Amino acid sequence: QVMEFYCEPCETAMCRECTEGEHREHVTVPLRDVVEQHKAALQQQLDAVRSRLPQLAAAIGLVSEISQQLVERKNEAVSEIGSTFEELETALRQRKGLLVRDLEATCGAKQKVLQAQLDALRQGQESILSSCAFTEQALHHGTATEVLLVKKQMSERLSELASQEFPEHPHENAQLDYVVETEGVRKSILNLGVLITTSATAHKTVATGEGLRHAVVGQPSSLSVTTKDKDGELVRSGSASLRFQVTAPDGGAAEAEVQDNKNGTYELLYTPRTEGDFLLSILLYGQPIRGSPFRVRAVKASDVPPSPDDVKRRVKSPSSGHIRQKAVRRPSSMYSSGKKKENPIEDELIFRVGSRGREKGEFTNLQGISTSSSGRIVVADSNNQCVQWALSLWVGARGSRSIRGARCPPAEGGRAPPARHNPLVPASLPAHVALTALTGHRGWAAPSLGQCREASPCPHGAGAGPGPRPLPALSPLPSPGPHFVAVNNKNEIVVTDFHNHSVKVYNADGEFLFKFGSHGEGNGQFNAPTGVAVDANGNIIVADWGNSRIQVFDSSGSFLSYINTAADPLYGPQGLALTSDGHVVVADSGNHCFKAYRYLQ
């Protein structure tokens, strides 16, 4: 049969008989009408696929070039290794010859002294033997006349020999030892030379920090580069080939410096000398890192708004429910949508929920936040004195979320309500969740879960019901008071010390282990830290309230990186927690919402 028709639902050609048979209820059109459409669609797909060939060719060329460079560098390194050890062998032979020559010279000098002493002793010995033999010959065989004639001469000679000093004590010694410390040299030789390389790739490596967002004329600006491998894993060794170039508005080069932290992160510093747009180019092994080049506008110091430090001197802790937070927003000119486009940092924001108000899905100075394995997010709304939770949350798409809320019930005669009314502890949490027993606490944590669970103070008393046991008393207790707490997989207690700008770590018995952080805006510094969480690898994530950022540290407190919040900057972040799939949700109190950011562990 001749194929004359086309069934659109079945996407197949057919004959007239089939149109009246199994396809009689389907939409059919003449085959010649759709052939050209399909040809055009296929041609469009073909062109789209073919357009990728130049990109692939360029990628093949680049990767091949790197592969060739790697082989050439290996051959150069082999030659350098050979030259190094040849030079060492030559040096060893030279040292051997010098030691033998010194040995011969020292031995010869000692022998000369000893030989002179031997000559003197043998001469004295010969004089005594000859005088004694002559005297004995005269005594035993000489006549009386002969004895009298030689008596005076022999007596004087014997008296002289009897009183003569001879070098009877050795004028030298026989010590001529060879001492060498071979163990240290052997170890040095065994460890001689090191091969330096990293697995860092430019397209996964990221830059973060205030220096990417704004700069002040005449003042150093800094940013941090965190190197990552092809899988997005952190590279923990330094010495990568990182080039930082800053181009001023007039096209000239500005002052720029790279500091290697030797842990896979790098501190980049530059100082703008004039107003205007600066271009920051960051190359890793000759390739631009993610988002590079960046554009940054430098402004005069007089145009910069008051810093969070200046504001914090005038207000109390942002988590004090009766005091309105007054942290200053950064100027819109630095964070306008136009600037984001000119400075393309990858958008790490996943979603944002909430706005200011008193209705469901609205917040006023929210502080605590927690998550569950089922995807539920629970938020403590301080000024509205209620807890709200979001249902059916998932990572990967933006949009609104279903919000439910519950307000704290009125106090019963001034006493804490029964456990079933406790507004800060969701009923779905396990019974062994422990609450902090710290005056003025703002967080609670679950031992052995490794996840931070934050909440705000409730006038009716958090954790009043039976079941949870309190965390151990911490010694020494952060003063004037801790803010948030988390527990890692070792059951160590991690506490943010808001007023002392640090994070303190205690063991399971509450004994102090160590602290990290200081007051400032640099990497690893804080301006009043608040929320804290611990991921599955033991890394510590800290909300830096005064600096409006989130920092990441390893389990020992060493700075690793920032979480990229540039797409929707924070404004006084408070509690934070990790979702079941490892991302970060944070209570953005100044913006009266909570946000989820991508967190690559």
Side-chain angles (χ1 to χ4, degrees):
Q1 296 291 335
V2 178
M3 300 295 185
E4 299 181 78
F5 298 94
Y6 180 80
C7 179
E8 291 184 344
C10 299
E11 295 184 343
T12 184
M14 58 186 178
C15 63
R16 180 179 297 277
E17 183 179 342
C18 291
T19 63
E20 299 172 355
E22 59 179 310
H23 296 276
R24 63 181 177 273
E25 296 182 357
H26 295 177
V27 177
T28 59
V29 295
L31 182 63
R32 63 178 178 273
D33 294 344
V34 298
V35 168
E36 292 303 321
Q37 297 177 10
H38 281 270
K39 283 184 176 181
L42 284 174
Q43 185 63 47
Q44 185 176 4
Q45 287 182 296
L46 176 63
D47 294 340
V49 171
R50 192 185 300 278
S51 67
R52 300 197 63 188
L53 288 176
Q55 300 174 5
L56 290 175
I60 290 172
L62 178 60
V63 174
S64 299
E65 181 182 358
I66 293 175
S67 177
Q68 181 62 31
Q69 290 174 351
L70 182 63
V71 172
E72 292 173 356
R73 190 65 198 98
K74 183 210 65 170
N75 294 335
E76 291 174 1
V78 169
S79 176
E80 291 170 1
I81 290 171
S83 298
T84 299
F85 281 86
E86 287 175 3
E87 292 173 1
L88 288 175
E89 290 171 2
T90 300
L92 285 172
R93 286 193 297 268
Q94 290 175 347
R95 182 57 180 166
K96 175 184 176 182
L98 180 60
L99 283 172
V100 171
R101 288 195 298 273
D102 287 347
L103 181 66
E104 294 288 352
T106 303
C107 181
K110 283 178 170 285
Q111 287 286 21
K112 185 176 181 180
V113 172
L114 293 173
Q115 191 60 47
Q117 184 180 12
L118 283 173
D119 292 342
L121 290 172
R122 286 171 179 156
Q123 183 179 359
Q125 183 186 43
E126 181 63 28
S127 297
I128 291 175
L129 287 175
S130 62
S131 296
C132 289
F134 180 81
T135 303
E136 287 178 350
Q137 178 68 23
L139 289 175
H140 296 296
H141 302 288
T143 63
T145 303
E146 291 174 338
V147 170
L148 291 174
L149 288 175
V150 300
K151 188 266 179 189
K152 181 179 180 181
Q153 180 182 359
M154 294 305 300
S155 177
E156 291 176 353
R157 179 59 178 164
L158 292 174
S159 296
E160 180 184 350
L161 290 172
S163 60
Q164 185 175 349
E165 293 282 341
F166 294 105
E168 299 176 9
H169 300 289
H171 287 183
E172 259 294 352
N173 57 66
Q175 183 181 18
L176 194 55
D177 301 328
Y178 170 60
V179 178
V180 62
E181 173 51 54
T182 59
E183 184 62 22
V185 174
R186 186 182 67 82
K187 288 183 179 179
S188 297
I189 291 175
L190 292 177
N191 294 293
L192 184 63
V194 62
L195 300 178
I196 297 177
T197 187
T198 75
S199 57
T201 57
H203 72 288
K204 290 290 186 179
T205 293
V206 296
T208 55
E210 290 298 312
L212 286 179
R213 300 179 177 90
H214 66 91
V216 179
V217 175
Q219 297 181 12
S221 294
S222 67
L223 54 140
S224 177
V225 171
T226 302
T227 55
K228 298 181 180 181
D229 64 15
K230 64 181 179 61
D231 298 319
E233 296 294 327
L234 295 176
V235 174
R236 302 190 182 275
S237 59
S239 302
S241 177
L242 188 71
R243 182 183 175 191
F244 180 40
Q245 184 174 359
V246 180
T247 305
D250 60 2
E255 301 175 28
E257 179 185 355
V258 177
Q259 297 178 355
D260 188 348
N261 297 325
K262 302 299 182 183
N263 62 358
T265 66
Y266 302 80
E267 190 81 7
L268 276 53
L269 306 172
Y270 68 97
T271 304
R273 297 301 179 187
T274 184
E275 291 183 275
D277 290 335
F278 284 74
L279 191 67
L280 312 184
S281 174
I282 307 174
L283 300 180
L284 180 66
Y285 298 112
Q287 299 298 313
I289 69 168
R290 184 184 299 180
S292 177
F294 305 93
R295 288 188 179 274
V296 179
R297 175 171 291 275
V299 298
K300 293 181 180 179
S302 58
D303 296 334
V304 178
S307 69
D309 280 344
D310 299 330
V311 177
K312 196 165 75 63
R313 295 188 186 102
R314 303 194 297 269
V315 299
K316 295 184 179 180
S317 162
S319 51
S320 300
H322 63 285
I323 294 181
R324 181 178 179 182
Q325 182 174 319
K326 297 181 180 179
V328 174
R329 291 182 183 271
R330 301 195 184 278
S332 59
S333 61
M334 294 180 183
Y335 290 108
S336 65
S337 59
K339 281 299 164 191
K340 288 180 191 173
K341 293 177 182 177
E342 293 178 12
N343 189 4
I345 302 175
E346 181 183 356
D347 186 352
E348 298 289 1
L349 178 71
I350 299 173
F351 60 78
R352 167 179 174 154
V353 176
S355 60
R356 185 168 186 172
R358 300 185 61 84
E359 301 300 323
K360 290 182 180 180
E362 296 178 338
F363 308 98
T364 306
N365 192 23
L366 71 168
Q367 293 183 18
I369 192 166
S370 181
T371 63
S372 71
S373 58
S374 62
R376 172 179 292 184
I377 297 179
V378 185
V379 182
D381 189 355
S382 176
N383 288 9
N384 288 332
Q385 295 186 344
C386 70
V387 170
Q388 300 190 55
W389 59 89
L391 300 178
S392 302
L393 289 171
W394 63 91
V395 172
R398 300 191 189 188
S400 62
R401 297 292 185 266
S402 174
I403 298 291
R404 295 187 180 182
R407 296 192 178 276
C408 296
E412 301 174 3
R415 294 175 299 172
R420 64 180 180 275
H421 295 309
N422 189 343
L424 298 184
V425 183
S428 61
L429 290 175
H432 65 270
V433 167
L435 301 177
T436 57
L438 312 163
T439 301
H441 73 275
R442 290 167 173 79
W444 50 283
S448 79
L449 296 184
Q451 168 99 17
C452 179
R453 310 289 192 187
E454 289 88 4
S456 298
C458 176
H460 313 296
R469 63 177 180 85
L471 289 173
L474 305 182
S475 178
L477 184 70
S479 177
H483 267 55
F484 286 82
V485 63
V487 176
N488 65 17
N489 52 15
K490 299 178 183 177
N491 276 341
E492 293 171 342
I493 304 165
V494 185
V495 180
T496 54
D497 192 347
F498 180 90
H499 296 282
N500 292 312
H501 313 287
S502 62
V503 175
K504 296 180 179 177
V505 181
Y506 300 79
N507 65 16
D509 296 323
E511 298 171 343
F512 176 78
L513 296 177
F514 64 92
K515 73 172 184 177
F516 58 90
S518 60
H519 191 203
E521 298 181 354
N523 292 346
Q525 293 184 310
F526 301 110
N527 184 5
T530 46
V532 63
V534 182
D535 69 16
N537 297 322
N539 297 324
I540 302 171
I541 304 101
V542 183
D544 190 357
W545 174 82
N547 291 323
S548 290
R549 62 186 181 183
I550 301 174
Q551 301 192 65
V552 183
F553 303 81
D554 66 16
S555 58
S556 63
S558 296
F559 172 81
L560 293 178
S561 64
Y562 300 101
I563 290 179
N564 189 357
T565 61
D568 193 350
L570 298 170
Y571 177 37
Q574 291 280 351
L576 57 79
L578 293 173
T579 64
S580 58
D581 47 6
H583 298 305
V584 169
V585 289
V586 57
D588 191 354
S589 62
N591 288 315
H592 310 289
C593 66
F594 68 88
K595 302 172 182 176
Y597 291 98
R598 196 174 312 282
Y599 173 53
L600 302 177
Q601 301 186 40

